[in-house]
Amino acid sequence: MAKRLENKVCIITGGTSGIGRACTEAFVREGAKVVFVGRREERGREIESQLRANGADVLYVKGDLQKIEDCENVVRACVEKYGTVDVLMNNAGFGTFKPMIEYDMVKDYEEVMNLNLRAYFILIKECLKVMVPNGKGNIINLASIGGITGMPMQVSYAASKGGVIQLTRTIAVEYSKKGIRANTISPGLTITELVEAGSEVEKLLQSIVPGGNSGTAEGVANAAVFCASDETPFMTGANIVIDGGVTCGPCAPIF
């Protein structure tokens, strides 16, 4: 069977750790040519070397996506290397944890919004400049269950992820006739460097998951491959929730 992303040119942000790295690895396994982005250059170069040694066609681009010029440079570097962009996966993001009344409006609001939402907007805008003339394109935005339900102590993160979902839906409607698809993936509890397996944080978060378990970065990456493939050409504007059932509603005791 042919690889599902064979010869597709894909940009993945936040590609040096967590879900982004899992997506980078999954996309190259499926035959994609991948430009992946991250701030930590040493780690990025190391991952690039490892993937190339295994036959992958990849390019690491160092970038701080809180900066408009770095967002623009990512797309420029991709087009210079591969001539086009077929798939954009926006993944980079972070949040802070404190009561809203204590927020620093730069560190806890502006920096979160700039990375989690503004960077997505800019990267989409730049990629559309390539995709629209091509008559095709695929945009995948990583959001969170925080974008569809309340997330106490993380108000700017939740607001940014709600914005990502609405940004995606709007792009899907506005550019559907141009051959562009746009979908969102909203994970819940996922094991990454931020939430380590077996940690007290994981145990606390597992208490609200109906099955008492956790998701994996690889599981989210599998959903991203599905979205990036040509298997569902009629799917656009969708939000794939991967949360173990948390957002289904209050959980009854399990006997």
Side-chain angles (χ1 to χ4, degrees):
M1 184 171 123
K3 292 186 175 182
R4 298 160 77 190
L5 305 181
E6 192 165 21
N7 295 322
K8 289 186 181 294
V9 175
C10 307
I11 294 174
I12 299 176
T13 69
T16 58
S17 63
I19 291 171
R21 179 169 180 175
C23 289
T24 298
E25 293 172 349
F27 278 41
V28 298
R29 281 198 304 270
E30 294 292 339
K33 301 173 183 177
V34 175
V35 174
F36 68 101
V37 187
R39 287 184 294 181
R40 291 173 285 187
E41 185 170 13
E42 185 176 350
R43 175 180 285 196
R45 296 299 179 197
E46 180 182 353
I47 294 170
E48 180 185 54
S49 295
Q50 291 172 350
L51 292 172
R52 285 181 175 176
N54 291 324
D57 192 348
V58 298
L59 174 69
Y60 165 70
V61 176
K62 181 182 179 182
D64 178 356
L65 300 183
Q66 291 191 38
K67 299 176 181 178
I68 293 174
E69 60 270 24
D70 282 15
C71 294
E72 294 171 342
N73 181 59
V74 169
V75 182
R76 187 183 307 114
C78 182
V79 174
E80 287 177 357
K81 171 72 173 177
Y82 296 111
T84 193
V85 184
D86 297 309
V87 179
L88 166 66
M89 180 165 186
N90 281 311
N91 172 79
F94 82 108
T96 58
F97 189 82
K98 65 175 67 172
M100 183 177 180
I101 198 170
E102 297 178 8
Y103 264 41
D104 179 293
M105 292 307 294
V106 174
K107 293 184 179 299
D108 301 315
Y109 179 78
E110 287 185 15
E111 291 183 2
V112 172
M113 287 293 183
N114 286 348
L115 181 59
N116 292 11
L117 184 55
R118 189 181 71 175
Y120 285 37
F121 189 103
I122 297 166
L123 282 154
I124 291 170
K125 176 175 175 284
E126 294 304 310
C127 283
L128 286 173
K129 293 177 182 178
V130 180
M131 293 175 173
V132 170
N134 288 344
K136 62 177 182 177
N138 194 335
I139 296 163
I140 308 161
N141 291 325
L142 193 79
S144 163
I145 60 171
I148 55 178
T149 189
M151 203 167 213
M153 308 288 282
Q154 298 185 70
V155 63
S156 59
Y157 179 83
S160 70
K161 293 304 185 180
V164 166
I165 293 169
Q166 287 303 102
L167 171 63
T168 309
R169 288 172 172 164
T170 302
I171 294 300
V173 173
E174 184 173 346
Y175 284 93
S176 182
K177 289 184 178 180
K178 302 293 186 180
I180 313 298
R181 294 196 296 124
N183 294 289
T184 313
I185 300 174
S186 291
L189 171 58
T190 306
I191 299 303
T192 64
E193 292 93 332
L194 298 178
V195 180
E196 296 181 354
S199 67
E200 290 303 313
V201 174
E202 184 200 17
K203 293 174 184 177
L204 176 63
L205 294 174
Q206 282 178 334
S207 67
I208 65 171
V209 179
N213 54 347
S214 304
T216 66
E218 290 72 23
V220 178
N222 290 337
V225 168
F226 172 70
C227 289
S229 74
D230 296 326
E231 295 168 6
T232 53
F234 200 50
M235 187 177 81
T236 192
N239 182 24
I240 300 175
V241 178
I242 307 175
D243 71 345
V246 170
T247 53
C248 292
C251 302
I254 298 174
F255 299 99

